[in-house]
Amino acid sequence: MKVQLGARSYDILIGRGVMHGAGRTISARLPKARLAIITDETVARLHLERFRDGLDAAGIGHVCLPVPAGERSKSFPVFQSLCEQVLDARLERGDAILAFGGGVVGDLAGFVAASVRRGMSFIQVPTTLLAQVDSSVGGKTGINAPQGKNLIGAFHQPALVLADTALLDTLPDRDFRAGYAEVVKYGLLGDAAFFEWLEVNRQGVFRGGAERDEAVARSCQAKADVVAADELEGGRRALLNLGHTFGHALEAAVDYHTERLVHGEGVAIGIMLAFEFSARLGLLPDLDVGRVKHHLTGAGLPTRLSDIPGQLPPVDVLMDSIAQDKKVSRGELTFILVRGIGQAFVERGVDPAAVRAFLEEKLTQ
Amino acid sequence: MKVQLGARSYDILIGRGVMHGAGRTISARLPKARLAIITDETVARLHLERFRDGLDAAGIGHVCLPVPAGERSKSFPVFQSLCEQVLDARLERGDAILAFGGGVVGDLAGFVAASVRRGMSFIQVPTTLLAQVDSSVGGKTGINAPQGKNLIGAFHQPALVLADTALLDTLPDRDFRAGYAEVVKYGLLGDAAFFEWLEVNRQGVFRGGAERDEAVARSCQAKADVVAADELEGGRRALLNLGHTFGHALEAAVDYHTERLVHGEGVAIGIMLAFEFSARLGLLPDLDVGRVKHHLTGAGLPTRLSDIPGQLPPVDVLMDSIAQDKKVSRGELTFILVRGIGQAFVERGVDPAAVRAFLEEKLTQ
């Protein structure tokens, strides 16, 4: 599969075992490049040795830069430390940063690749479902600020994405489910047929095998199409944020404590809120809301604010996070709303009072 | 004057007093944008009040974020603090970061603009000769790492450059001279006629008036032409680094203490070393070396390692800095050498032993 971006086009290779050909695949695209592998300690323990063996066999020089697992590594101090380690390893502009991990590792490593020497080559080897279907494709990179998630970063496209679906066999159930929220999102935002396919094949996707590979491939294709049409999020790309404005606010509300909420869970609740809020505005029938809720809960995903363990902050704090979202423009709230399954659209100038009243009600349910 | 970069093209306005029309000029290009003005404390003291009055008169909302003057502000902690202050000020993607200062402020503010919300609009109002003729044009932004200058950053083009030559009236002589080294560079690298013009008009340029404006304009045009041909420094843009590989190593050698050496002085010595090393390789006549030396010393610029006050580190340290330069590729040294005045070229695979022997000799002169 190819992401069409002119001179910045790149391939996504998807399937069981594609990781094992990584050495040859990388050598063919970036001859003589050395690699800095940024990974997290969990992934390193499970998969790094075999991955390095493959690189050694292909004669690719590399250094490994592990970071602690979890969202908190997307911080200024870790970013600075990685930049300095890459420089210490004497990697040059033509060398590459390789992200070997989930979304956190990919976002962080991508921003390092964008920034060291004003831009080095970048390779994504995503090891989670979320990273394979979403964050590894499209070039969004970044770290978190005290004011919110992903507020500091760059658009920096990878030169290659290797999505080895066999790596998902060792993924904890909770992380697989969380990634599945992003898969469902592609159906809900613009492809009702894909959502229907998921309604039929969800269990196959969770079990692994051909359905899983197909779900990953269809998701990547959906993302690649949107990115090719709108690389820098001037318009249509914003649809990919379905569920994310609410979701980000919830992640901030738990201070990014992943024991309480991981990104995909925030997206699942956020999608549900976007559907319910759209229904409240009279945009779509309650039937569609019910279908989405049924599918997400069937997949074991949270759909209500009360599904988040512990106390949530008051509505003011949530509204404040929403106002800091990157999608805010000239102080106007912008949301991705829906007219039905597969029919998301960008709504500017959403009334903050309506959002606040809606959230206040949801906080007490 | 326009920098031609397709969708990222932008205007450079040059002349005495262009700063006073900044409000209208900015409003016309970025309607309703709010500004975060990043400036240094010296520039703020001299010029900020008048500049802000102009913005107020045009109804442009803005916050001011001053940083300490000097190269040491191009650091991770200052970068982080500025990013967080911009977010605290609730600036959005369509708002702009405005750099009001010299090269340090421009490089730092540009990297902030490139990174906050993955890219905000950026305006340069350069207040030094160096920034007006070099760093404000072309989109190179960044901060320094322990391993060397400008090693962390981004290519991020401004939306507008306002070069008010009247601001140079208050520039200390030493800073004007240092900026002049970059003006001379444009003649030496590719425009012998401009160098000859400078030989005739140097005193006029230093006095101010029409010659100064012309020197700034010709320099900006030279830079804009090179950048338009090669935005990301794949080839010809590297010629702009004439004198910079040696110069950066010297700045690192004095640990960026500007009492000992400022960037333009490092460039002047670096240009001289590039000419002398080229002559040593038999590439050009000694007569050309003499002409360049005569012109730079006439302008009050240093040309020898011994012109730098205090002790320099041993040759190993200088060679180490040179090996960390961004222009290094596959471990090969790349230098900008010259075949004559106005005839610079990129030379790959320069023998490190020859460079070392040359520098060792220069260190004892």
Side-chain angles (χ1 to χ4, degrees):
Chain A
M1 186 178 303
K2 203 166 189 81
V3 183
Q4 299 289 356
L5 288 168
R8 292 186 306 291
S9 295
Y10 53 95
D11 291 323
I12 309 173
L13 305 187
I14 300 167
R16 293 190 79 84
V18 296
M19 185 184 92
H20 302 299
R24 281 191 310 281
T25 314
I26 293 168
S27 290
R29 279 166 182 78
L30 300 169
K32 293 195 212 169
R34 292 171 62 222
L35 305 179
I37 300 173
I38 297 178
T39 186
D40 74 36
E41 288 156 356
T42 310
V43 173
R45 188 163 36 73
L46 289 168
H47 305 294
L48 187 59
E49 199 178 325
R50 259 186 334 147
F51 185 60
R52 295 183 72 164
D53 287 348
L55 296 177
D56 284 336
I60 298 179
H62 57 275
V63 293
C64 282
L65 309 177
V67 300
E71 191 73 31
R72 281 159 184 273
S73 283
K74 282 173 65 173
S75 67
F76 271 106
V78 176
F79 171 66
Q80 173 176 0
S81 162
L82 286 171
C83 288
E84 293 179 358
Q85 288 179 74
V86 170
L87 291 169
D88 275 338
R90 308 237 158 187
L91 266 70
E92 300 164 5
R93 261 192 196 167
D95 293 327
I97 307 291
L98 186 146
F100 188 51
V104 166
V105 163
D107 287 359
L108 177 62
F111 190 36
V112 171
S115 303
V116 175
R117 300 177 191 275
R118 295 200 192 95
M120 298 177 58
S121 293
F122 180 41
I123 297 168
Q124 289 264 25
V125 184
T127 61
T128 66
L129 180 59
L130 181 106
Q132 292 189 355
V133 301
D134 180 24
S135 56
S136 69
V137 178
K140 282 194 181 180
T141 74
I143 58 176
N144 302 328
Q147 292 85 358
K149 278 190 73 164
N150 299 326
L151 288 174
I152 314 290
F155 285 96
H156 190 63
Q157 299 292 343
L160 174 69
V161 181
L162 295 176
D164 189 333
T165 48
L167 290 169
L168 306 181
D169 296 344
T170 56
L171 198 64
D173 289 347
R174 185 181 175 204
D175 291 337
F176 192 89
R177 285 196 300 270
Y180 186 73
E182 298 278 2
V183 174
V184 175
K185 184 191 75 177
Y186 292 112
L188 295 178
L189 75 87
D191 187 351
F194 182 42
F195 181 71
E196 282 160 29
W197 184 89
L198 290 170
E199 288 185 311
V200 176
N201 294 288
R202 192 192 73 221
Q203 290 177 328
V205 174
F206 273 74
R207 246 192 331 265
E211 290 97 336
R212 178 181 291 178
D213 285 12
E214 180 164 351
V216 172
R218 285 178 83 157
S219 299
C220 282
Q221 189 67 59
K223 176 121 190 203
D225 289 347
V226 172
V227 169
D230 177 22
E231 183 179 4
L232 303 182
E233 196 167 316
R236 191 175 155 211
R237 183 164 182 168
L239 296 182
L240 296 175
N241 294 315
L242 175 63
H244 280 62
T245 299
F246 286 124
H248 282 166
L250 295 173
E251 287 183 85
V254 301
D255 201 18
Y256 306 109
H257 279 101
T258 50
E259 320 87 74
R260 295 179 65 193
L261 192 76
V262 296
H263 176 69
E265 291 166 349
V267 169
I269 299 174
I271 286 173
M272 212 56 243
L273 292 173
F275 269 78
E276 289 172 341
F277 186 64
S278 299
R280 177 75 51 96
L281 297 176
L283 291 168
L284 84 167
D286 287 336
L287 190 70
D288 281 353
V289 179
R291 248 175 97 190
V292 175
K293 192 173 189 92
H294 179 73
H295 191 73
L296 292 174
T297 51
L301 283 162
T303 55
R304 296 171 303 182
L305 296 183
S306 58
D307 290 335
I308 302 170
Q311 190 77 33
L312 285 178
V315 72
D316 285 341
V317 175
L318 295 178
M319 290 301 294
D320 217 50
S321 289
I322 287 170
Q324 263 293 5
D325 199 80
K326 282 191 297 303
K327 290 165 283 296
V328 172
S329 173
R330 306 271 171 254
E332 282 195 340
L333 294 189
T334 298
F335 276 89
I336 312 305
L337 299 181
V338 280
R339 291 204 181 83
I341 286 167
Q343 298 176 59
F345 65 100
V346 180
E347 178 74 342
R348 292 178 216 290
V350 173
D351 179 11
V355 177
R356 164 187 284 269
F358 171 73
L359 281 178
E360 255 176 345
E361 185 189 313
K362 291 288 158 191
L363 277 167
T364 59
Q365 279 177 0
Chain B
M1 186 180 304
K2 203 166 190 82
V3 182
Q4 298 289 354
L5 288 168
R8 294 186 305 291
S9 295
Y10 54 95
D11 291 322
I12 309 173
L13 306 186
I14 300 166
R16 294 190 78 86
V18 295
M19 184 183 93
H20 301 299
R24 279 191 311 280
T25 314
I26 293 168
S27 291
R29 279 165 183 78
L30 300 170
K32 292 196 213 167
R34 293 171 62 223
L35 305 179
I37 300 173
I38 297 178
T39 185
D40 75 34
E41 288 157 358
T42 309
V43 173
R45 187 162 39 72
L46 288 167
H47 306 294
L48 188 59
E49 198 178 323
R50 257 187 332 149
F51 186 59
R52 294 184 71 164
D53 287 348
L55 296 176
D56 285 335
I60 298 179
H62 58 275
V63 293
C64 283
L65 309 176
V67 300
E71 191 72 31
R72 281 156 185 276
S73 284
K74 282 173 64 174
S75 67
F76 272 106
V78 176
F79 171 67
Q80 172 175 357
S81 161
L82 287 171
C83 288
E84 293 177 0
Q85 288 179 73
V86 170
L87 291 168
D88 276 339
R90 309 237 158 183
L91 266 70
E92 300 164 6
R93 262 195 196 162
D95 293 328
I97 307 291
L98 185 145
F100 188 51
V104 166
V105 163
D107 288 359
L108 177 63
F111 190 35
V112 171
S115 303
V116 174
R117 300 177 193 272
R118 296 201 191 94
M120 299 177 56
S121 294
F122 180 41
I123 297 168
Q124 289 264 23
V125 185
T127 62
T128 65
L129 180 58
L130 182 108
Q132 292 189 355
V133 299
D134 180 25
S135 56
S136 68
V137 178
K140 282 195 183 179
T141 74
I143 58 176
N144 301 328
Q147 292 85 355
K149 278 191 71 165
N150 298 327
L151 288 174
I152 314 291
F155 285 95
H156 190 65
Q157 298 292 345
L160 174 69
V161 180
L162 296 176
D164 189 332
T165 48
L167 290 169
L168 306 181
D169 296 346
T170 56
L171 198 64
D173 289 345
R174 186 182 173 201
D175 292 336
F176 191 88
R177 285 196 299 270
Y180 187 71
E182 299 278 3
V183 174
V184 174
K185 184 190 76 176
Y186 292 111
L188 295 177
L189 74 87
D191 187 350
F194 182 42
F195 181 71
E196 281 159 30
W197 184 88
L198 290 170
E199 287 185 312
V200 175
N201 294 289
R202 192 192 72 220
Q203 291 177 327
V205 174
F206 274 73
R207 246 193 329 263
E211 290 96 338
R212 177 181 291 179
D213 285 13
E214 180 163 350
V216 171
R218 285 179 81 158
S219 298
C220 284
Q221 190 66 59
K223 176 126 192 200
D225 290 347
V226 172
V227 169
D230 176 22
E231 183 180 3
L232 303 182
E233 197 168 316
R236 188 173 157 213
R237 183 163 181 170
L239 296 181
L240 296 175
N241 293 316
L242 175 63
H244 280 64
T245 300
F246 286 124
H248 283 166
L250 294 173
E251 288 182 84
V254 301
D255 202 18
Y256 306 109
H257 279 102
T258 50
E259 320 85 73
R260 294 180 66 192
L261 192 76
V262 296
H263 175 70
E265 291 167 348
V267 169
I269 299 175
I271 287 173
M272 212 54 243
L273 292 173
F275 269 77
E276 289 172 340
F277 187 64
S278 299
R280 176 75 53 96
L281 296 175
L283 292 168
L284 84 165
D286 287 338
L287 191 69
D288 280 355
V289 179
R291 250 176 96 190
V292 174
K293 191 171 188 91
H294 179 74
H295 190 73
L296 292 173
T297 51
L301 283 162
T303 55
R304 295 171 305 181
L305 296 183
S306 59
D307 291 335
I308 302 170
Q311 191 79 32
L312 285 178
V315 72
D316 286 341
V317 176
L318 296 178
M319 290 301 294
D320 216 51
S321 290
I322 287 171
Q324 265 291 9
D325 199 81
K326 282 191 296 303
K327 289 164 287 295
V328 171
S329 172
R330 306 273 172 253
E332 282 194 340
L333 294 189
T334 299
F335 275 88
I336 313 305
L337 299 181
V338 281
R339 290 203 183 84
I341 286 167
Q343 297 175 61
F345 67 100
V346 180
E347 177 75 341
R348 291 178 218 290
V350 173
D351 179 13
V355 177
R356 164 188 284 270
F358 171 74
L359 281 178
E360 255 176 344
E361 186 190 312
K362 291 288 158 193
L363 278 166
T364 60
Q365 278 177 1

